[in-house]
Amino acid sequence: MPVPIPRQRAIPAVESGQAQAAPLDGPSKDDTPRKEATVDNNAATQLTLLVIEDDPGGSTVVPELLDPAGKPIRVRTARNLTEAERLLTDDVHCILLDLALPGSSRTADDDELAVLRHVLELAPRHAVLALTASGDAERGAEAVRVGAQDYLFRDELDGRLLSRAIRYAVERKRSDTAERRLAEGRVRAQENRRLERGLLPTPLLEGSSLRFAARYRPGRSRALLGGDFYDVVRTPDGTVHAMIGDVCGHGPDEAALGVELRIAWRALTLAGLCGDELLGTLQEVLEHERSDDEIFATLCTVDIAPDGRRAGLCLAGHPAPLVAGPGRPARLLPYDNNGPALGLLPGARWPRMQVELGAEWSLMLYTDGLIEGHIGQGRERLGQDGMVSMIRRQLSEGLRGEELLRAAVNEVRSLNGGELADDVAVLLLDREG
C-alpha cells in the first residue's frame, strides 16, 4: 500500500549509526576528497533515495520500495535545495526531483529546468530521476537531455516502477561515469603518446652509409618512454652526430625533460655546435627547465668524421660506448676524461676525446639501465664487463643490428629475473668497409 513521503530530516546511516551532515559536493572545511556514491552489488549495502519536493500537503506519494535483495530502500526528503544540500551525504545513491519545485535566487527564472540544472551541479556524481506531471512528457524528455537519468510521472508511481527506475538510474549513472573516465583516460593516453613520441626521433641520416638501429624499454609500468633519450643526425659537412642521455629518475617529468634536451641537442648540433660548447649550452637548458635543483642528466655524444674512420667523444657522467670490428673483440672506448653529469657543477667542462674506429665497425651507445640489472637472485649486477662479454658472444653468434639489440635487452631482462627497474635505451651505428 502506498505511503506518504516521510518528513524525517535524515535517516541514520546503516554502518555509522548516525547521519552525516556534510554535503557531498558543496563547500567543506577541508580539501579531503569525498567518496563517490556508488551501488555495491553486495546485498549488505542499502540504497538511499533523496526526494526533493516542497508540497507540505504530501500529495506526492512514494510507495514502499524494495531493493533487489528485498530490503527496504531508505527515503529522505528535502523541501528545498538548502535542505537537499545538507542531506546529500555519501550514502545517498539517487535523487528524485520534482520539476515543479520553485526556483531560488541561485537559479534563472526564465529556465524551466533551472532547479534540475542546479541539482546536477550540486550532485554531479549522483543519479537523478525527474518527476513531472503526466501531461508533460516533453518536459521530462528535456530533463533527460539536460542530464537526468530518467523521468517519471507524478501520478503513476508504484513500488515496482519506482524501485526499478532507481536501480536503473544508479546503474546508468555508474556506466556513464565509467564511460566518461574511459574517454578521459584515452585522451590522456593520446596526449602522453604525442609527448613521449618526441623521445623516439627519426634519425636524420640521409646521404650517410651508416646503418642505424635502436631499442628502448621504459622502466615505468605501462609507459611508452621514461627519462632516457637519444638522437642521430647528419650535418651538411657529412659528419654524423649521435647522442644518448639519461635524466635521473624515470617518471613523466623526467620524460618531458628528456624531450626538451633531445630537441635542444638536435637544434644546437644542426647549428654547428659540438663538444664542450654544446654540452655547456645543454646544461643551461637543463638548469632552466628542471623542476628541482637536484635533477641532473648524463650524456654521451659522438661525432663521426665524414670518412667514418674516426670520431670525437664527449662523456658527461655517462658510460663509455662499446665498439667492435672484424678481428677486434668488443671493447669500451676510453673514458678517462669523463666529465660531470649535466646540472651538477656550474661552469663544468667536458673534454672531447679523439678515437680511431677503423674501416669497418659497430658502435653501441647505451644507458645504465642495460648494465645495472641483477644477475640471478643475488645482489651482483651485470656491469660493463658483463655487458661487453655478452655482446662479444652475441656478435660471435652472428647477431647484428636490430637482432643484436633485441637479444641484448632480452638477455639482460632474463638475467635480472624479469622487468628491469630502470629505463633502457640502446642505439647502434654500423659501418661496413
Side-chain angles (χ1 to χ4, degrees), residues 10 33 39 59 71 103 156 161 166 171 186 194 229 233 251 283 299 301 313 354 370 392 395 431:
V39 176
S59 60
K71 299 179 63 174
E156 296 182 7
L161 173 64
I166 292 170
E171 292 302 326
R186 286 171 177 164
R194 284 195 294 270
F229 54 99
V233 299
Q283 173 157 281
L299 199 71
T301 67
L313 170 66
Q354 190 76 17
L370 188 68
R392 283 178 179 174
L395 286 171
R431 183 176 188 267

Side-chain angles (χ1 to χ4, degrees), residues 14-15 40-46 71:
V14 171
E15 296 160 348
D40 191 338
N41 290 329
N42 192 314
T45 300
Q46 186 175 13
K71 299 179 63 174

Side-chain angles (χ1 to χ4, degrees), residues 154-172:
R154 188 180 298 108
D155 55 355
E156 296 182 7
L157 292 181
D158 64 66
R160 291 184 61 188
L161 173 64
L162 184 53
S163 296
R164 186 171 65 247
I166 292 170
R167 295 196 299 270
Y168 167 78
V170 171
E171 292 302 326
R172 180 176 176 184

